[in-house]
Amino acid sequence: LNSVNSVASYRRQKRVLFYGSNCSTSPVSERRRSEILYVRSPRNGLTHRLKLFALNFLAKFGTQSVSSLMIGATPVVLKGPRHMASWLLAFACIQLCPRDSVYAKLQTHASLLAVVRIGCALYKLRKFNFVCDFARDHHQSFAWTLAAQIVVIDGNNLCSRCWTWTWLRGYSHTSAGDLLAALAALLRRVAPVALASFLVHGCHINTIHPYVAVAVKLTVFALFLWRYDVPGLLHRATRHLSAATRAATYAKAPYPRPRLAIDNLASHARTLKPVGKAD
């Protein structure tokens, strides 16, 4: 699920594609620009497709290898073919699926995207706990722990966006507003991780009261869910489900039979008194 989210989030980059005063906002123009990051697009040549594959591959395994070396672990690429096979399957589903059906479903179905984001939150939380245990066992400082957390959790996203920006726009098409927007986006993504690291590093979970430790763990778990917008996606999925349920109930409701002219005559005849009978 984390690989699926990584490849899909790479295609969701918009600021790198839509720029300039002559940039059209028509649906056709937006679709054509979004195809720049789509491997199966007929507008992209072989060199462009190979670059897309290389950027996705480096964003996934390059940063993971750096983070593994920071904490003294074996890089994922060297652990076996399982990780490589799962990422290739995710890449094929998002970039090579016929009619782009998998990516389209992720963009339109909030419940499906919520399942993917929950899996990503749990995966990143496991990485977070591993770095916290390593920092505690090796008596690392909070600054080193925070830097390692950012590289482990957000390294692939940051590197993929920086490399794609440099490739498609370069330095000549980068303004101060773009840098400020990138800094704001970076702070939004790093803030939950920094807060979670501060809670774990400052509270000393192994020495505090068990109830406080449970509260800290639940808070960290909630921060990771909030970071991946899981509450918002679940809210959207609930609204869609309730709307679909109401539509299905309305469709199954029996429609009243239309009132015909003969029904009006029969009703009027019942109200008349019989002719030829005395009162």
Side-chain angles (χ1 to χ4, degrees):
L1 293 179
N2 181 69
S3 298
V4 171
N5 184 70
S6 175
V7 181
S9 62
Y10 182 83
R11 286 189 58 184
R12 282 195 294 266
Q13 301 182 67
K14 293 183 178 181
R15 191 175 182 87
V16 69
L17 302 177
F18 301 94
Y19 66 94
S21 57
N22 297 326
C23 179
S24 176
T25 57
S26 63
V28 177
S29 177
E30 291 186 0
R31 179 175 57 82
R32 289 178 178 177
R33 284 178 175 266
S34 62
E35 288 180 354
I36 295 176
L37 302 179
Y38 181 35
V39 172
R40 287 199 70 211
S41 175
R43 301 177 183 274
N44 299 329
L46 178 60
T47 305
H48 189 93
R49 296 177 181 179
L50 291 177
K51 286 182 179 180
L52 288 175
F53 178 82
L55 286 176
N56 279 272
F57 182 84
L58 290 176
K60 174 64 177 179
F61 295 104
T63 55
Q64 283 193 355
S65 299
V66 173
S67 62
S68 299
L69 293 176
M70 289 182 64
I71 58 179
T74 304
V76 177
V77 181
L78 303 178
K79 288 184 177 180
R82 181 175 60 88
H83 297 279
M84 185 73 67
S86 63
W87 181 83
L88 289 174
L89 179 60
F91 184 85
C93 291
I94 300 298
Q95 291 281 10
L96 304 176
C97 188
R99 299 182 181 179
D100 205 13
S101 57
V102 175
Y103 182 73
K105 294 296 184 183
L106 283 176
Q107 294 296 101
T108 55
H109 288 70
S111 56
L112 181 60
L113 186 57
V115 172
V116 173
R117 293 286 182 85
I118 291 173
C120 293
L122 295 176
Y123 176 79
K124 295 297 185 180
L125 183 59
R126 184 174 66 87
K127 295 284 188 181
F128 176 86
N129 293 331
F130 184 81
V131 174
C132 289
D133 294 338
F134 179 86
R136 184 186 66 250
D137 296 339
H138 293 79
H139 306 285
Q140 298 291 344
S141 63
F142 174 72
W144 185 94
T145 305
L146 180 59
Q149 297 286 13
I150 294 174
V151 173
V152 170
I153 296 174
D154 264 333
N156 56 351
N157 182 273
L158 297 177
C159 290
S160 65
R161 293 180 183 274
C162 290
W163 292 337
T164 307
W165 188 284
T166 305
W167 170 39
L168 296 178
R169 294 185 59 171
Y171 299 102
S172 59
H173 296 284
T174 303
S175 62
D178 296 329
L179 294 177
L180 292 177
L183 181 60
L186 175 62
L187 292 177
R188 285 195 301 268
R189 294 187 64 87
V190 170
V193 179
L195 181 57
S197 299
F198 176 77
L199 288 174
V200 175
H201 189 270
C203 292
H204 302 287
I205 291 185
N206 293 333
T207 59
I208 60 178
H209 194 276
Y211 291 152
V212 180
V214 171
V216 171
K217 292 178 182 179
L218 291 177
T219 304
V220 172
F221 179 63
L223 284 173
F224 273 81
L225 291 180
W226 171 64
R227 182 179 180 273
Y228 283 94
D229 195 27
V230 173
L233 291 173
L234 291 178
H235 178 66
R236 284 173 50 193
T238 304
R239 289 179 55 188
H240 292 171
L241 180 61
S242 61
T245 304
R246 289 196 301 268
T249 304
Y250 180 77
K252 293 180 180 179
Y255 289 95
R257 187 174 64 87
R259 192 174 181 86
L260 304 177
I262 190 171
D263 296 331
N264 296 330
L265 293 176
S267 177
H268 180 67
R270 284 194 297 269
T271 59
L272 296 178
K273 294 181 179 180
V275 180
K277 289 186 179 182
D279 294 339

